[in-house]
């Protein structure tokens, strides 16, 4: 669960800080103008946790660091009350001020910003004019302010400041303070360390001069727009500051005694690592991205070798690592600022940067003051004093003239005064050396105390995080138990609802079956009534037998085709629909599959509605169309009423020898009923007089 819990390397002079920038406009627009999901949580000012975004199965990772800068405003992701929002000045106070102090003590220094593209590295290192100035301009201004203060207090130390500005573009070093662009080489100097041959070293005497040099270099640095950053740095930029200090200790005779010291600082703004699939670069931009990622990979390999203590460190694998060989594992006090993006879309790159920074914390540098050894100076003064004493004893006036300043008479008093000056100077240098040794011990003790304090706080933070994780695990288990109990209750209620629904469907089916049975009885009674009416009208036995056959056939057709095909088909469809609904409820509500489903009867939908032909006299459903009444649509009852004389006509026809009428050759009229219930109408032409209607 916890990442990189190992103890920081002893006597470590590499400090690692991280800075979390706010969400940028592109990340906000990608979520429709809202606040994106944040994958970082600040635990304290020395510990930060990476949280996997939604949909990613990964544990939370806690990283102990030397300092955490939380620069997100409260309207995006508020920090804990103990964490202040880090502004540019806050970053400089923690990162830049200790480096400036080390430079005036004679130590080399390095500050470099690392992170993916668009994570805010250049903003932290360079910034913009006004309150937004970054580490580099603030450190340079503070340097000249301190030099001016030393001069105003009567200090005898002489200061010389030189500035250089270069970039590493596609593994080639180019000078940013000259208009002539040419590739430069990095060589190793036994005294100075890595040096760029032919690089412009501009001597500056004020903050305004160095500011102009920085602006000139930034104007010629290679930048380009990508899909992730409109002003993406396509090169590693390095500002080199050389500070030379000469402390005048005094004079012994004719010789001035001084103590020179020098310090060099590399202020590095690394180009951001990037995934080509996100930055969408191509052509020259793709070549630049490959070069950037390659040099950063070499830098990571150097860090790994240093942490693991391997004998060979691959500094020469890239120009960047060769230039920073003193800053990583060499003679330098180094600070790293890892820039982080909190957006979920950059989660993988953020975790990679944190792992990178965590490894860099374990690098051990061997730092020393860049000055001439005081022991040699003391020996020189002691030799001068011994020579003076020997010359006095031997009466060597020529030797004494070389040791005593011009214009001073050679006398025992003057020679004694010069000897006394030499002795006092030796004591002064010895005291200064002891004082500086003591100060060095105190500084190292402070560094060690600070490191131990940070390690203790790291352990406390990690313990708190572990306790919180255990508490959350217990709460999760309790919530899971409650969820299981609630799920069981819900399933029981769902089964009850489904059973009630099934019982309701059963009652509905029974009611429909009863209604259908009553409707069948009513239809049968109506058919019997109609058959009885027509049976009374037919007198001859042959007509009765034909009518009965025709009536029975019609009844059978109605019973078999109309009733069973119409009603049964629709009943089957409705039963299947009910069964499908029950199966769907079973699958969705948790009822075990195969639960018995009660059968249900479905009533027959009658031929009703606005399109069914209606009787013109009573508005009931029409049964016949009368040719003698201008094809009027009539029911059986209204047809009988209209043609009341039919009985007399039939009687008269029987007396004269009635012949059954022929079937009309016209197609039967259909009024939206099944074909088995069609009505055929016999023509009037076969009747002697009147009009008659017969069902066939």
């Amino acid at each position: 669960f916890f990442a990189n819990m190992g103890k920081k390397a002893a006597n470590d002079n590499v400090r690692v800080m991280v800075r979390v920038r706010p969400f940028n406009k592109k990340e906000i627009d990608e979520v429709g103008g809202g606040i994106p999901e944040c994958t970082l949580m600040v635990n304290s000012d020395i510990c930060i946790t990476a949280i996997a975004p939604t949909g990613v199965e990964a544990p939370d990772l806690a990283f102990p660091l030397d300092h955490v800068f939380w620069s997100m405003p409260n309207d995006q992701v508020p920090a804990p009350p103990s964490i202040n929002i880090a502004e540019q000045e806050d970053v400089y106070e923690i990162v830049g001020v200790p480096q400036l102090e080390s430079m005036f003590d004679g130590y080399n220094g390095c500050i470099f910003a690392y992170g993916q593209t668009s994570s805010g590295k250049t903003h932290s290192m360079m910034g913009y004019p006004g309150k937004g100035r970054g580490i580099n301009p603030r450190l340079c201004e503070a340097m000249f302010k301190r030099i001016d203060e030393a001069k105003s207090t009567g200090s005898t130390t002489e200061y010389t400041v030189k500035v250089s500005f270069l970039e590493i573009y596609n593994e080639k070093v180019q000078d940013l303070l000259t208009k002539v662009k040419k590739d430069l080489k990095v060589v190793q100097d036994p005294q100075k360390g890595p040096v760029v041959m032919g690089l412009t070293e501009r001597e500056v005497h004020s903050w305004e001069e160095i500011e102009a040099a920085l602006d000139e270099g930034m104007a010629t640095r290679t930048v380009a727009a990508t899909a992730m950053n409109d002003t993406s740095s396509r090169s590693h930029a390095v500002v080199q500051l050389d500070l030379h200090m000469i402390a005048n200790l005094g004079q012994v005779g004719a010789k001035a005694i001084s103590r020179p010291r020098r310090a060099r600082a590399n202020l590095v703004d690394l180009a951001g690592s990037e995934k080509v699939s996100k930055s969408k670069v191509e052509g020259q931009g793709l070549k630049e991205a490959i070069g950037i990622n390659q040099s950063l990979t070499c830098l990571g390999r150097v860090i790994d070798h240093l942490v693991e203590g391997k004998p060979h460190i691959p500094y020469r694998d890239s120009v960047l690592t060769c230039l920073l060989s003193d800053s990583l594992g060499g003679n330098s006090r180094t600070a790293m600022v890892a820039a982080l993006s909190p957006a979920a879309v950059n989660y993988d790159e953020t975790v990679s940067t944190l792992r990178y920074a965590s490894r860099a914390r374990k690098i051990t540098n061997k730092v020393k003051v860049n000055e001439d050894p005081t022991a040699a100076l003391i020996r020189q003064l002691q030799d001068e004093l011994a020579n003076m004493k020997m010359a006095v004893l031997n009466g060597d006036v020529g030797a004494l003239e070389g040791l005593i300043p011009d214009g001073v008479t050679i006398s025992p008093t003057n020679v004694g005064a010069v000897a006394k000056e030499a002795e006092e100077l030796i004591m002064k240098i010895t005291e200064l050396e002891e004082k500086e040794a003591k100060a060095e011990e105190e500084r190292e003790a402070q560094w060690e105390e600070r490191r131990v304090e940070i390690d203790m706080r790291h352990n406390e933070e990690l313990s708190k995080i572990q306790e919180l994780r255990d508490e959350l695990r217990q709460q999760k288990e309790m919530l899971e138990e409650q969820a299981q109990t609630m799920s069981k209750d819900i399933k029981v209620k769902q089964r009850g609802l489904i059973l009630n629904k099934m019982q309701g469907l059963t009652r509905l089916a029974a009611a429909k079956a009863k209604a259908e049975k009553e409707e069948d009885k009513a239809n049968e009674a109506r058919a019997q009534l109609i058959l009885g009416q027509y049976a009374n009208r037919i007198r001859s036995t042959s007509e009765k037998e034909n009518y009965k056959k025709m009536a029975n056939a019609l009844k059978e057709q109605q019973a078999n085709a109309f009733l069973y095909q119409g009603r049964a088909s629709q009943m089957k469809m409705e039963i299947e629909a009910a069964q499908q609904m029950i199966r769907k409820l079973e699958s969705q509500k948790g009822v075990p599959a195969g639960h018995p489903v009660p059968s249900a009867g479905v009533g027959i939908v009658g031929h009703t509605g606005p399109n069914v032909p209606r009787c013109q006299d009573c508005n009931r459903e029409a049964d016949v169309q009368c040719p003698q009444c201008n094809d009027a649509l009539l029911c059986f009852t209204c047809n009988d009423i209209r043609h009341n004389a039919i009985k007399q006509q039939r009687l008269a026809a029987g007396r004269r020898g009635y012949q059954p009428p022929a079937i009309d050759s016209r197609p039967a009229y259909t009024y939206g009923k099944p074909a088995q219930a069609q009505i055929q109408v016999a023509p009037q032409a076969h009747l002697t007089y009147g009009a008659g209607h017969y069902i066939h």
Side-chain angles (χ1 to χ4, degrees):
F1 170 70
F2 296 117
N4 309 297
M5 292 183 62
K7 183 179 178 181
K8 190 176 179 183
N11 299 323
D12 188 7
N13 291 300
V14 176
R15 297 185 304 146
V16 177
M17 284 72 70
V18 298
R19 187 179 190 185
V20 183
R21 66 158 172 79
F23 293 114
N24 58 29
K25 185 178 183 301
K26 182 177 183 298
E27 293 165 347
I28 294 175
D29 291 342
E30 286 179 350
V31 296
I35 302 300
E37 181 181 4
C38 182
T39 58
L40 292 173
M41 179 180 68
V42 57
N43 307 106
S44 67
D45 60 344
I46 58 171
C47 188
I48 193 169
T49 300
I51 304 173
T54 304
V56 176
E57 294 293 335
D60 297 345
L61 300 174
F63 293 89
L65 302 158
D66 290 289
H67 199 86
V68 176
F69 298 107
W70 186 264
S71 296
M72 298 190 69
N74 290 328
D75 58 352
Q76 289 189 358
V77 179
S82 60
I83 303 299
N84 296 323
I85 298 176
E87 302 294 344
Q88 294 284 70
E89 183 177 359
D90 302 322
V91 177
Y92 168 71
E93 290 293 332
I94 300 296
V95 180
V97 171
Q99 291 296 327
L100 185 62
E101 295 289 340
S102 295
M103 288 183 66
F104 279 96
D105 288 337
Y107 293 98
N108 292 338
C110 176
I111 302 174
F112 69 96
Y114 175 84
Q116 72 170 118
T117 183
S118 75
S119 60
K121 300 179 299 300
T122 303
H123 176 75
S124 295
M125 294 301 294
M126 299 301 297
Y128 53 88
K131 293 184 178 180
R133 291 184 303 165
I135 296 173
N136 292 2
R138 290 177 184 271
L139 188 146
C140 294
E141 184 181 19
M143 177 188 296
F144 281 101
K145 184 177 180 180
R146 179 162 176 173
I147 291 173
D148 294 338
E149 289 177 353
K151 291 179 179 179
S152 64
T153 57
S155 173
T156 59
T157 303
E158 298 177 3
Y159 297 94
T160 303
V161 180
K162 295 181 180 180
V163 61
S164 302
F165 203 168
L166 63 91
E167 71 173 357
I168 302 175
Y169 176 72
N170 286 341
E171 284 299 294
K172 296 179 181 179
V173 179
Q174 295 182 350
D175 193 344
L176 295 179
L177 296 183
T178 180
K179 296 181 180 179
V180 179
K181 298 298 180 183
K182 60 179 180 179
D183 298 338
L184 306 178
K185 292 183 62 177
V186 180
V187 298
Q188 286 290 336
D189 185 280
Q191 298 296 329
K192 298 180 179 180
V195 176
V196 180
M197 299 298 294
L199 181 65
T200 300
E201 289 185 323
R202 184 176 298 177
E203 185 173 342
V204 289
H205 304 88
S206 65
W207 154 240
E208 288 74 19
E209 292 183 14
I210 199 170
E211 182 182 25
L214 293 178
D215 292 341
E216 180 182 346
M218 289 299 295
T220 56
R221 185 184 180 185
T222 304
V223 296
T226 67
M228 297 185 67
N229 190 357
D230 293 337
T231 56
S232 175
S233 301
R234 313 309 292 169
S235 65
H236 307 300
V238 182
V239 177
Q240 288 188 342
L241 296 175
D242 281 325
L243 176 62
H244 293 265
M245 299 166 286
I246 300 177
N248 296 314
L249 300 179
Q251 186 169 343
V252 177
K255 187 173 183 180
I257 305 300
S258 62
R259 185 187 183 193
R261 286 181 298 172
R262 57 181 175 81
R264 182 177 62 183
N266 290 321
L267 309 179
V268 186
D269 178 17
L270 296 176
S273 60
E274 62 183 66
K275 287 186 177 180
V276 177
S277 58
K278 288 186 177 180
S279 60
K280 302 185 184 305
V281 292
E282 55 186 13
Q284 183 64 24
L286 178 59
K287 182 179 179 181
E288 294 168 351
I290 293 173
I292 292 169
N293 291 337
Q294 179 181 355
S295 62
L296 294 177
T297 301
C298 293
L299 181 60
R301 191 159 51 245
V302 166
I303 292 174
D304 289 338
H305 281 61
L306 289 170
V307 172
E308 296 169 7
K310 293 185 177 180
H312 172 69
I313 310 300
Y315 289 118
R316 296 184 178 274
D317 285 359
S318 74
V319 176
L320 176 64
T321 54
C322 186
L323 185 64
L324 298 180
S325 58
D326 246 13
S327 302
L328 297 173
N331 178 25
S332 174
R333 294 197 185 275
T334 302
M336 173 182 176
V337 180
L340 304 177
S341 166
V345 69
N346 296 322
Y347 171 74
D348 292 337
E349 291 83 355
T350 298
V351 172
S352 177
T353 301
L354 285 170
R355 295 186 189 278
Y356 199 101
S358 182
R359 291 198 304 272
R361 266 193 93 240
K362 300 178 182 180
I363 296 176
T364 302
N365 284 355
K366 299 177 181 179
V367 297
K368 62 180 180 179
V369 176
N370 298 307
E371 64 178 351
D372 294 333
T374 56
L377 180 59
I378 293 174
R379 284 197 301 270
Q380 181 183 358
L381 291 174
Q382 288 174 343
D383 291 341
E384 294 281 346
L385 184 58
N387 292 335
M388 187 179 300
K389 290 180 179 181
M390 184 63 66
V392 171
L393 292 175
N394 295 333
D396 189 353
V397 178
L400 290 174
E401 289 179 351
L403 297 174
I404 296 177
D406 295 338
V408 177
T409 305
I410 298 177
S411 65
T413 303
N414 292 337
V415 172
V418 172
K420 186 177 180 181
E421 289 178 356
E423 291 175 353
E424 291 177 351
L425 190 55
I426 291 173
M427 293 179 59
K428 181 178 180 181
I429 294 174
T430 304
E431 292 175 358
L432 180 61
E433 185 178 23
E434 293 176 353
K435 182 179 179 181
E436 290 182 348
K438 184 178 180 180
E440 178 67 17
E441 291 177 359
E442 292 178 353
R443 282 195 297 266
E444 292 299 330
Q446 290 177 357
W447 280 81
E448 180 66 18
E449 182 181 353
R450 173 62 177 167
R451 184 185 64 79
V452 172
E453 179 186 354
I454 290 177
D455 287 341
M456 292 178 60
R457 290 186 60 191
H458 285 167
N459 294 332
E460 293 176 359
E461 293 291 340
L462 296 178
S463 299
K464 290 179 181 178
I465 294 174
Q466 183 62 53
E467 293 175 358
L468 179 61
R469 183 173 177 81
D470 294 339
E471 182 180 352
L472 291 175
R473 185 186 297 110
Q474 294 176 359
Q475 293 180 358
K476 180 181 178 182
E477 292 175 355
M478 294 176 57
L479 291 174
E480 288 177 350
E481 293 178 359
Q482 295 178 1
Q484 291 178 357
T485 303
M486 294 176 63
S487 177
K488 291 179 181 178
D489 295 341
I490 291 173
K491 288 181 179 180
V492 171
K493 292 181 180 180
Q494 288 176 344
R495 291 193 184 100
L497 292 174
I498 293 172
L499 291 175
N500 293 337
K501 183 68 174 179
M502 293 169 59
Q503 292 175 358
L505 292 174
T506 302
R507 290 193 293 269
L508 178 62
K512 288 184 178 180
K514 183 177 180 181
E516 290 169 2
K517 188 174 181 181
E518 293 178 354
E519 185 179 357
D520 291 343
K521 290 181 180 180
N523 291 337
E524 186 177 357
R526 183 182 178 191
Q528 292 295 334
L529 177 62
I530 295 172
L531 292 175
Q533 291 176 351
Y534 280 96
N536 292 332
R537 298 174 185 175
I538 301 173
R539 298 303 182 190
S540 63
T541 303
S542 59
E543 288 178 331
K544 288 182 179 181
E545 290 177 355
N546 291 336
Y547 173 76
K548 286 180 180 180
K549 291 179 181 180
M550 293 165 54
N552 289 334
L554 176 61
K555 183 177 179 181
E556 183 177 0
Q557 290 176 354
Q558 289 177 338
N560 294 335
F562 180 76
L563 180 61
Y564 289 101
Q565 291 184 6
R567 295 178 181 177
S569 176
Q570 191 164 357
M571 182 188 300
K572 182 178 180 180
M573 292 171 61
E574 294 192 9
I575 291 175
E576 289 178 354
Q579 291 176 343
Q580 290 178 359
M581 180 183 69
I582 293 173
R583 285 194 296 270
K584 183 176 180 182
L585 290 172
E586 288 177 346
S587 63
Q588 294 181 354
K589 304 295 184 177
V591 176
H595 194 281
V597 179
S599 60
V602 182
I604 302 300
V605 179
H607 296 278
T608 61
N611 296 326
V612 176
R614 299 291 178 180
C615 176
Q616 294 183 1
D617 292 347
C618 66
N619 201 31
R620 288 181 294 186
E621 184 177 351
D623 296 308
V624 298
Q625 184 175 13
C626 179
Q628 296 301 317
C629 299
N630 296 325
D631 292 331
L633 301 177
L634 302 172
C635 64
F636 287 131
T637 303
C638 295
N639 182 63
D640 290 340
I641 294 174
R642 282 198 178 195
H643 305 287
N644 191 32
I646 189 171
K647 183 183 294 186
Q648 289 78 7
Q649 293 173 358
R650 289 177 177 172
L651 292 175
R655 287 193 297 270
R656 294 192 298 271
Y658 174 75
Q659 297 294 329
I663 299 301
D664 193 348
S665 60
R666 294 180 300 172
Y669 295 96
T670 304
Y671 305 124
K673 299 180 180 181
Q676 293 81 354
Q678 294 176 359
I679 306 296
Q680 292 181 338
V681 182
Q684 182 270 343
H686 297 283
L687 301 178
T688 304
Y689 58 88
H693 304 272
Y694 300 88
I695 300 175
H696 298 272

